[in-house]
Amino acid sequence: MDGLIQDLNRDETWNLRQKYVADACQLHYDQNPIKLSQSEAQYFYDDKGEKYLDCVTRIANVGHCHPKVVKAAQSQMATLNLCSQMKGTIQAQFCESLLKTLPSSFEVCLFTNSGAEANDLALQLARRHTGNEEVAVLDNSFHGSLKTVIELSPVALQKQNTEKVPWLHILPYPDTYRGLTESGDELKLAEEYFMKAKSVIDRAVQKGSKIGCFISETVLVVQGVIVPPSNWLSQIYSYIHQLGGLVIADEIQTGMGRCGTNFWGFQTQSVVPDIVTIGKPIGNGYPLAAVVTSKEIARSIENLHEEKLALPLLRMLTTIISSPNCVIVL
């Protein structure tokens, strides 16, 4: 890259990493790691030209270095780099295109830098809109690495040997592989797991809890790519709504066509959530994520900057949704 980056061999690169990168930034592999130097479509290449099939990356939704993505980014970066609090047509076109893929109840977009930040923002929206702080999640789920979403991620709590916070209610998920019923009856399995989840919620409500929201993936990727039985998620959504809560669909790993039959994972379950969160795959791995919801719910945070809260959002002023990021998505 015109001398900006030194051409180091694998050992030199590894030694440099060991010296300057924090140990907490762990590799997926730490025994004899390869040095990846190039990528294209579904393949990686190391510094010796060896070709590898990429079975790990989850955010390059249309493949590595897609020529249309590269061309669009290069062209926009050479033309205009505009952030969202200023007027620009690309951002509006991006929102319009995104909303066309969703049911009509989704009216507006809010943007963040990552899926974790999107889930954090969705959580704030739900709590502000309902006035209730408590959250229901599925066991063994994970929703990001920010403090607020680590607190509602049972997998992270287990790994850190951390007690769950009092406002979190963990529901059993319908394991269609190791399920409770031996009959193989999907409707029976859905009903059994819904009743188990309902009993957890009911115990909390009897103790005075008020559920502000339920958040889950619509296909349970973290738990092992488990497709819920038909009618289970709709029963959960309906009961949460009955209690006055909102439902958040975490589509970070399931949305944008990755379920095959539908563009969004929730569509495979015949449900419509109140809020959808989308991660970096929306920009093929570039730092852009989104929260999509109704205008009414989005208004819940409009006056946050006027209240003396610990983490004001300043009317969602952000430099995240830049023109290059948007044109990449389009």
Side-chain angles (χ1 to χ4, degrees), residues 72-73 76-77 79-84 86-91 94 288 319-330:
Q76 187 61 39
M77 287 176 187
T79 305
L80 177 67
N81 188 350
L82 190 66
C83 56
S84 66
M86 302 174 70
K87 292 181 180 179
T89 60
I90 298 173
Q91 291 91 338
F94 166 45
L288 178 66
T319 56
I320 292 164
I321 181 171
S322 65
S323 300
N325 277 347
C326 288
V327 80
I328 285 168
V329 177
L330 288 171

PDB file of all heavy atoms in Angstrom, residues 72-73 76-77 79-84 86-91 94 288 319-330:
ATOM      1  N   ALA A  72     -18.109   0.905  -5.382  1.00  0.00           N
ATOM      2  CA  ALA A  72     -18.988   1.906  -4.779  1.00  0.00           C
ATOM      3  C   ALA A  72     -18.270   2.675  -3.675  1.00  0.00           C
ATOM      4  O   ALA A  72     -18.376   3.909  -3.582  1.00  0.00           O
ATOM      5  CB  ALA A  72     -20.240   1.231  -4.222  1.00  0.00           C
ATOM      6  N   ALA A  73     -17.524   1.950  -2.820  1.00  0.00           N
ATOM      7  CA  ALA A  73     -16.807   2.596  -1.716  1.00  0.00           C
ATOM      8  C   ALA A  73     -15.719   3.530  -2.236  1.00  0.00           C
ATOM      9  O   ALA A  73     -15.587   4.674  -1.772  1.00  0.00           O
ATOM     10  CB  ALA A  73     -16.201   1.533  -0.807  1.00  0.00           C
ATOM     11  N   GLN A  76     -17.363   6.722  -3.783  1.00  0.00           N
ATOM     12  CA  GLN A  76     -17.953   7.658  -2.828  1.00  0.00           C
ATOM     13  C   GLN A  76     -16.895   8.323  -1.961  1.00  0.00           C
ATOM     14  O   GLN A  76     -16.995   9.511  -1.636  1.00  0.00           O
ATOM     15  CB  GLN A  76     -18.981   6.943  -1.953  1.00  0.00           C
ATOM     16  CG  GLN A  76     -19.773   7.878  -1.046  1.00  0.00           C
ATOM     17  CD  GLN A  76     -20.567   8.902  -1.824  1.00  0.00           C
ATOM     18  OE1 GLN A  76     -21.133   8.613  -2.864  1.00  0.00           O
ATOM     19  NE2 GLN A  76     -20.599  10.131  -1.321  1.00  0.00           N
ATOM     20  N   MET A  77     -15.857   7.573  -1.579  1.00  0.00           N
ATOM     21  CA  MET A  77     -14.800   8.152  -0.764  1.00  0.00           C
ATOM     22  C   MET A  77     -14.060   9.270  -1.503  1.00  0.00           C
ATOM     23  O   MET A  77     -13.517  10.190  -0.887  1.00  0.00           O
ATOM     24  CB  MET A  77     -13.820   7.062  -0.331  1.00  0.00           C
ATOM     25  CG  MET A  77     -14.357   6.134   0.736  1.00  0.00           C
ATOM     26  SD  MET A  77     -13.192   4.797   1.123  1.00  0.00           S
ATOM     27  CE  MET A  77     -14.186   3.790   2.212  1.00  0.00           C
ATOM     28  N   THR A  79     -15.590  11.233  -3.539  1.00  0.00           N
ATOM     29  CA  THR A  79     -16.566  12.254  -3.905  1.00  0.00           C
ATOM     30  C   THR A  79     -17.052  13.059  -2.704  1.00  0.00           C
ATOM     31  O   THR A  79     -16.995  14.280  -2.694  1.00  0.00           O
ATOM     32  CB  THR A  79     -17.790  11.605  -4.588  1.00  0.00           C
ATOM     33  OG1 THR A  79     -17.346  10.840  -5.700  1.00  0.00           O
ATOM     34  CG2 THR A  79     -18.779  12.662  -5.059  1.00  0.00           C
ATOM     35  N   LEU A  80     -17.542  12.366  -1.660  1.00  0.00           N
ATOM     36  CA  LEU A  80     -18.129  13.055  -0.514  1.00  0.00           C
ATOM     37  C   LEU A  80     -18.202  12.101   0.671  1.00  0.00           C
ATOM     38  O   LEU A  80     -18.658  10.967   0.543  1.00  0.00           O
ATOM     39  CB  LEU A  80     -19.549  13.530  -0.866  1.00  0.00           C
ATOM     40  CG  LEU A  80     -20.350  14.221   0.240  1.00  0.00           C
ATOM     41  CD1 LEU A  80     -19.726  15.564   0.603  1.00  0.00           C
ATOM     42  CD2 LEU A  80     -21.801  14.421  -0.204  1.00  0.00           C
ATOM     43  N   ASN A  81     -17.752  12.577   1.821  1.00  0.00           N
ATOM     44  CA  ASN A  81     -17.899  11.822   3.064  1.00  0.00           C
ATOM     45  C   ASN A  81     -18.706  12.679   4.015  1.00  0.00           C
ATOM     46  O   ASN A  81     -18.200  13.634   4.603  1.00  0.00           O
ATOM     47  CB  ASN A  81     -16.526  11.490   3.663  1.00  0.00           C
ATOM     48  CG  ASN A  81     -16.654  10.542   4.843  1.00  0.00           C
ATOM     49  OD1 ASN A  81     -17.735  10.275   5.331  1.00  0.00           O
ATOM     50  ND2 ASN A  81     -15.529  10.028   5.307  1.00  0.00           N
ATOM     51  N   LEU A  82     -19.986  12.355   4.130  1.00  0.00           N
ATOM     52  CA  LEU A  82     -20.933  13.198   4.843  1.00  0.00           C
ATOM     53  C   LEU A  82     -21.555  12.412   5.981  1.00  0.00           C
ATOM     54  O   LEU A  82     -21.938  11.253   5.816  1.00  0.00           O
ATOM     55  CB  LEU A  82     -22.035  13.645   3.865  1.00  0.00           C
ATOM     56  CG  LEU A  82     -23.017  14.719   4.327  1.00  0.00           C
ATOM     57  CD1 LEU A  82     -22.295  16.052   4.525  1.00  0.00           C
ATOM     58  CD2 LEU A  82     -24.121  14.871   3.298  1.00  0.00           C
ATOM     59  N   CYS A  83     -21.636  13.016   7.173  1.00  0.00           N
ATOM     60  CA  CYS A  83     -22.254  12.323   8.304  1.00  0.00           C
ATOM     61  C   CYS A  83     -23.717  12.726   8.452  1.00  0.00           C
ATOM     62  O   CYS A  83     -24.189  13.664   7.822  1.00  0.00           O
ATOM     63  CB  CYS A  83     -21.471  12.575   9.594  1.00  0.00           C
ATOM     64  SG  CYS A  83     -21.273  14.308  10.012  1.00  0.00           S
ATOM     65  N   SER A  84     -24.431  12.004   9.320  1.00  0.00           N
ATOM     66  CA  SER A  84     -25.893  11.985   9.254  1.00  0.00           C
ATOM     67  C   SER A  84     -26.593  13.255   9.705  1.00  0.00           C
ATOM     68  O   SER A  84     -27.733  13.471   9.361  1.00  0.00           O
ATOM     69  CB  SER A  84     -26.430  10.808  10.069  1.00  0.00           C
ATOM     70  OG  SER A  84     -26.137  11.009  11.429  1.00  0.00           O
ATOM     71  N   MET A  86     -26.120  16.122   8.760  1.00  0.00           N
ATOM     72  CA  MET A  86     -26.146  17.056   7.651  1.00  0.00           C
ATOM     73  C   MET A  86     -26.973  16.446   6.533  1.00  0.00           C
ATOM     74  O   MET A  86     -27.189  15.242   6.482  1.00  0.00           O
ATOM     75  CB  MET A  86     -24.716  17.339   7.177  1.00  0.00           C
ATOM     76  CG  MET A  86     -23.816  17.890   8.269  1.00  0.00           C
ATOM     77  SD  MET A  86     -22.097  18.063   7.756  1.00  0.00           S
ATOM     78  CE  MET A  86     -22.248  19.413   6.588  1.00  0.00           C
ATOM     79  N   LYS A  87     -27.453  17.283   5.626  1.00  0.00           N
ATOM     80  CA  LYS A  87     -28.353  16.798   4.590  1.00  0.00           C
ATOM     81  C   LYS A  87     -27.597  16.031   3.515  1.00  0.00           C
ATOM     82  O   LYS A  87     -26.611  16.498   2.972  1.00  0.00           O
ATOM     83  CB  LYS A  87     -29.098  17.984   3.968  1.00  0.00           C
ATOM     84  CG  LYS A  87     -30.080  18.653   4.931  1.00  0.00           C
ATOM     85  CD  LYS A  87     -30.800  19.796   4.265  1.00  0.00           C
ATOM     86  CE  LYS A  87     -31.775  20.459   5.235  1.00  0.00           C
ATOM     87  NZ  LYS A  87     -32.464  21.599   4.621  1.00  0.00           N
ATOM     88  N   GLY A  88     -28.082  14.856   3.194  1.00  0.00           N
ATOM     89  CA  GLY A  88     -27.486  14.056   2.140  1.00  0.00           C
ATOM     90  C   GLY A  88     -28.499  13.075   1.590  1.00  0.00           C
ATOM     91  O   GLY A  88     -29.287  12.507   2.343  1.00  0.00           O
ATOM     92  N   THR A  89     -28.505  12.867   0.300  1.00  0.00           N
ATOM     93  CA  THR A  89     -29.525  12.013  -0.316  1.00  0.00           C
ATOM     94  C   THR A  89     -29.227  10.537  -0.138  1.00  0.00           C
ATOM     95  O   THR A  89     -30.146   9.719  -0.102  1.00  0.00           O
ATOM     96  CB  THR A  89     -29.634  12.321  -1.814  1.00  0.00           C
ATOM     97  OG1 THR A  89     -28.360  12.077  -2.436  1.00  0.00           O
ATOM     98  CG2 THR A  89     -30.031  13.769  -2.046  1.00  0.00           C
ATOM     99  N   ILE A  90     -27.938  10.168  -0.019  1.00  0.00           N
ATOM    100  CA  ILE A  90     -27.588   8.749   0.048  1.00  0.00           C
ATOM    101  C   ILE A  90     -28.172   8.106   1.294  1.00  0.00           C
ATOM    102  O   ILE A  90     -28.710   6.995   1.248  1.00  0.00           O
ATOM    103  CB  ILE A  90     -26.057   8.566   0.005  1.00  0.00           C
ATOM    104  CG1 ILE A  90     -25.510   9.098  -1.319  1.00  0.00           C
ATOM    105  CG2 ILE A  90     -25.690   7.099   0.169  1.00  0.00           C
ATOM    106  CD1 ILE A  90     -24.012   9.123  -1.384  1.00  0.00           C
ATOM    107  N   GLN A  91     -28.074   8.802   2.435  1.00  0.00           N
ATOM    108  CA  GLN A  91     -28.619   8.254   3.678  1.00  0.00           C
ATOM    109  C   GLN A  91     -30.119   8.012   3.563  1.00  0.00           C
ATOM    110  O   GLN A  91     -30.630   6.976   3.991  1.00  0.00           O
ATOM    111  CB  GLN A  91     -28.330   9.210   4.849  1.00  0.00           C
ATOM    112  CG  GLN A  91     -26.860   9.280   5.229  1.00  0.00           C
ATOM    113  CD  GLN A  91     -26.128  10.382   4.475  1.00  0.00           C
ATOM    114  OE1 GLN A  91     -26.583  10.818   3.410  1.00  0.00           O
ATOM    115  NE2 GLN A  91     -25.010  10.826   5.010  1.00  0.00           N
ATOM    116  N   PHE A  94     -30.836   5.041   1.373  1.00  0.00           N
ATOM    117  CA  PHE A  94     -30.532   3.804   2.090  1.00  0.00           C
ATOM    118  C   PHE A  94     -31.680   3.422   3.014  1.00  0.00           C
ATOM    119  O   PHE A  94     -32.135   2.275   3.036  1.00  0.00           O
ATOM    120  CB  PHE A  94     -29.223   3.964   2.871  1.00  0.00           C
ATOM    121  CG  PHE A  94     -28.981   2.886   3.894  1.00  0.00           C
ATOM    122  CD1 PHE A  94     -29.189   1.547   3.588  1.00  0.00           C
ATOM    123  CD2 PHE A  94     -28.532   3.206   5.159  1.00  0.00           C
ATOM    124  CE1 PHE A  94     -28.957   0.549   4.532  1.00  0.00           C
ATOM    125  CE2 PHE A  94     -28.301   2.222   6.106  1.00  0.00           C
ATOM    126  CZ  PHE A  94     -28.524   0.894   5.788  1.00  0.00           C
ATOM    127  N   LEU A 288     -21.272  -0.416  10.215  1.00  0.00           N
ATOM    128  CA  LEU A 288     -22.595   0.176  10.156  1.00  0.00           C
ATOM    129  C   LEU A 288     -23.603  -0.854  10.643  1.00  0.00           C
ATOM    130  O   LEU A 288     -23.532  -2.025  10.270  1.00  0.00           O
ATOM    131  CB  LEU A 288     -22.939   0.600   8.723  1.00  0.00           C
ATOM    132  CG  LEU A 288     -24.329   1.189   8.507  1.00  0.00           C
ATOM    133  CD1 LEU A 288     -24.463   2.516   9.250  1.00  0.00           C
ATOM    134  CD2 LEU A 288     -24.598   1.396   7.019  1.00  0.00           C
ATOM    135  N   THR A 319     -21.789  10.270  13.703  1.00  0.00           N
ATOM    136  CA  THR A 319     -21.008  10.301  12.463  1.00  0.00           C
ATOM    137  C   THR A 319     -20.930   8.918  11.827  1.00  0.00           C
ATOM    138  O   THR A 319     -20.204   8.713  10.873  1.00  0.00           O
ATOM    139  CB  THR A 319     -19.576  10.789  12.746  1.00  0.00           C
ATOM    140  OG1 THR A 319     -18.984   9.945  13.742  1.00  0.00           O
ATOM    141  CG2 THR A 319     -19.579  12.220  13.247  1.00  0.00           C
ATOM    142  N   ILE A 320     -21.706   7.978  12.362  1.00  0.00           N
ATOM    143  CA  ILE A 320     -21.616   6.596  11.905  1.00  0.00           C
ATOM    144  C   ILE A 320     -22.139   6.420  10.489  1.00  0.00           C
ATOM    145  O   ILE A 320     -21.515   5.772   9.657  1.00  0.00           O
ATOM    146  CB  ILE A 320     -22.371   5.666  12.876  1.00  0.00           C
ATOM    147  CG1 ILE A 320     -21.635   5.610  14.220  1.00  0.00           C
ATOM    148  CG2 ILE A 320     -22.514   4.270  12.307  1.00  0.00           C
ATOM    149  CD1 ILE A 320     -22.460   5.049  15.329  1.00  0.00           C
ATOM    150  N   ILE A 321     -23.295   7.004  10.202  1.00  0.00           N
ATOM    151  CA  ILE A 321     -23.943   6.750   8.915  1.00  0.00           C
ATOM    152  C   ILE A 321     -23.358   7.689   7.847  1.00  0.00           C
ATOM    153  O   ILE A 321     -23.997   8.606   7.355  1.00  0.00           O
ATOM    154  CB  ILE A 321     -25.475   6.856   9.020  1.00  0.00           C
ATOM    155  CG1 ILE A 321     -26.127   6.561   7.673  1.00  0.00           C
ATOM    156  CG2 ILE A 321     -25.923   8.162   9.611  1.00  0.00           C
ATOM    157  CD1 ILE A 321     -27.616   6.446   7.740  1.00  0.00           C
ATOM    158  N   SER A 322     -22.111   7.473   7.517  1.00  0.00           N
ATOM    159  CA  SER A 322     -21.433   8.301   6.531  1.00  0.00           C
ATOM    160  C   SER A 322     -21.846   7.890   5.130  1.00  0.00           C
ATOM    161  O   SER A 322     -22.353   6.787   4.888  1.00  0.00           O
ATOM    162  CB  SER A 322     -19.916   8.156   6.676  1.00  0.00           C
ATOM    163  OG  SER A 322     -19.522   6.831   6.371  1.00  0.00           O
ATOM    164  N   SER A 323     -21.573   8.774   4.170  1.00  0.00           N
ATOM    165  CA  SER A 323     -21.932   8.486   2.784  1.00  0.00           C
ATOM    166  C   SER A 323     -21.263   7.223   2.257  1.00  0.00           C
ATOM    167  O   SER A 323     -21.920   6.406   1.601  1.00  0.00           O
ATOM    168  CB  SER A 323     -21.569   9.691   1.914  1.00  0.00           C
ATOM    169  OG  SER A 323     -22.270  10.835   2.338  1.00  0.00           O
ATOM    170  N   PRO A 324     -19.944   7.006   2.494  1.00  0.00           N
ATOM    171  CA  PRO A 324     -19.345   5.746   1.999  1.00  0.00           C
ATOM    172  C   PRO A 324     -20.010   4.502   2.559  1.00  0.00           C
ATOM    173  O   PRO A 324     -20.247   3.541   1.829  1.00  0.00           O
ATOM    174  CB  PRO A 324     -17.884   5.867   2.463  1.00  0.00           C
ATOM    175  CG  PRO A 324     -17.634   7.332   2.555  1.00  0.00           C
ATOM    176  CD  PRO A 324     -18.934   7.907   3.049  1.00  0.00           C
ATOM    177  N   ASN A 325     -20.335   4.498   3.872  1.00  0.00           N
ATOM    178  CA  ASN A 325     -21.011   3.336   4.444  1.00  0.00           C
ATOM    179  C   ASN A 325     -22.353   3.083   3.767  1.00  0.00           C
ATOM    180  O   ASN A 325     -22.713   1.949   3.439  1.00  0.00           O
ATOM    181  CB  ASN A 325     -21.229   3.534   5.949  1.00  0.00           C
ATOM    182  CG  ASN A 325     -20.015   3.165   6.764  1.00  0.00           C
ATOM    183  OD1 ASN A 325     -19.083   2.539   6.260  1.00  0.00           O
ATOM    184  ND2 ASN A 325     -20.001   3.554   8.016  1.00  0.00           N
ATOM    185  N   CYS A 326     -23.117   4.163   3.537  1.00  0.00           N
ATOM    186  CA  CYS A 326     -24.438   4.010   2.940  1.00  0.00           C
ATOM    187  C   CYS A 326     -24.372   3.525   1.506  1.00  0.00           C
ATOM    188  O   CYS A 326     -25.166   2.684   1.076  1.00  0.00           O
ATOM    189  CB  CYS A 326     -25.185   5.343   2.990  1.00  0.00           C
ATOM    190  SG  CYS A 326     -25.712   5.784   4.647  1.00  0.00           S
ATOM    191  N   VAL A 327     -23.436   4.053   0.748  1.00  0.00           N
ATOM    192  CA  VAL A 327     -23.356   3.655  -0.654  1.00  0.00           C
ATOM    193  C   VAL A 327     -22.877   2.210  -0.778  1.00  0.00           C
ATOM    194  O   VAL A 327     -23.239   1.500  -1.702  1.00  0.00           O
ATOM    195  CB  VAL A 327     -22.454   4.626  -1.450  1.00  0.00           C
ATOM    196  CG1 VAL A 327     -20.978   4.319  -1.262  1.00  0.00           C
ATOM    197  CG2 VAL A 327     -22.823   4.633  -2.928  1.00  0.00           C
ATOM    198  N   ILE A 328     -22.088   1.755   0.179  1.00  0.00           N
ATOM    199  CA  ILE A 328     -21.693   0.338   0.220  1.00  0.00           C
ATOM    200  C   ILE A 328     -22.916  -0.552   0.354  1.00  0.00           C
ATOM    201  O   ILE A 328     -23.072  -1.563  -0.326  1.00  0.00           O
ATOM    202  CB  ILE A 328     -20.692   0.087   1.364  1.00  0.00           C
ATOM    203  CG1 ILE A 328     -19.304   0.631   0.981  1.00  0.00           C
ATOM    204  CG2 ILE A 328     -20.605  -1.401   1.703  1.00  0.00           C
ATOM    205  CD1 ILE A 328     -18.348   0.688   2.147  1.00  0.00           C
ATOM    206  N   VAL A 329     -23.823  -0.147   1.262  1.00  0.00           N
ATOM    207  CA  VAL A 329     -25.043  -0.928   1.490  1.00  0.00           C
ATOM    208  C   VAL A 329     -25.912  -0.934   0.244  1.00  0.00           C
ATOM    209  O   VAL A 329     -26.447  -1.960  -0.180  1.00  0.00           O
ATOM    210  CB  VAL A 329     -25.826  -0.362   2.691  1.00  0.00           C
ATOM    211  CG1 VAL A 329     -27.118  -1.147   2.868  1.00  0.00           C
ATOM    212  CG2 VAL A 329     -24.988  -0.425   3.947  1.00  0.00           C
ATOM    213  N   LEU A 330     -26.076   0.233  -0.374  1.00  0.00           N
ATOM    214  CA  LEU A 330     -26.923   0.327  -1.557  1.00  0.00           C
ATOM    215  C   LEU A 330     -26.351  -0.454  -2.720  1.00  0.00           C
ATOM    216  O   LEU A 330     -27.072  -1.034  -3.515  1.00  0.00           O
ATOM    217  CB  LEU A 330     -27.089   1.798  -1.951  1.00  0.00           C
ATOM    218  CG  LEU A 330     -27.987   2.633  -1.023  1.00  0.00           C
ATOM    219  CD1 LEU A 330     -27.886   4.108  -1.378  1.00  0.00           C
ATOM    220  CD2 LEU A 330     -29.427   2.164  -1.116  1.00  0.00           C
TER     221      LEU A 330
END
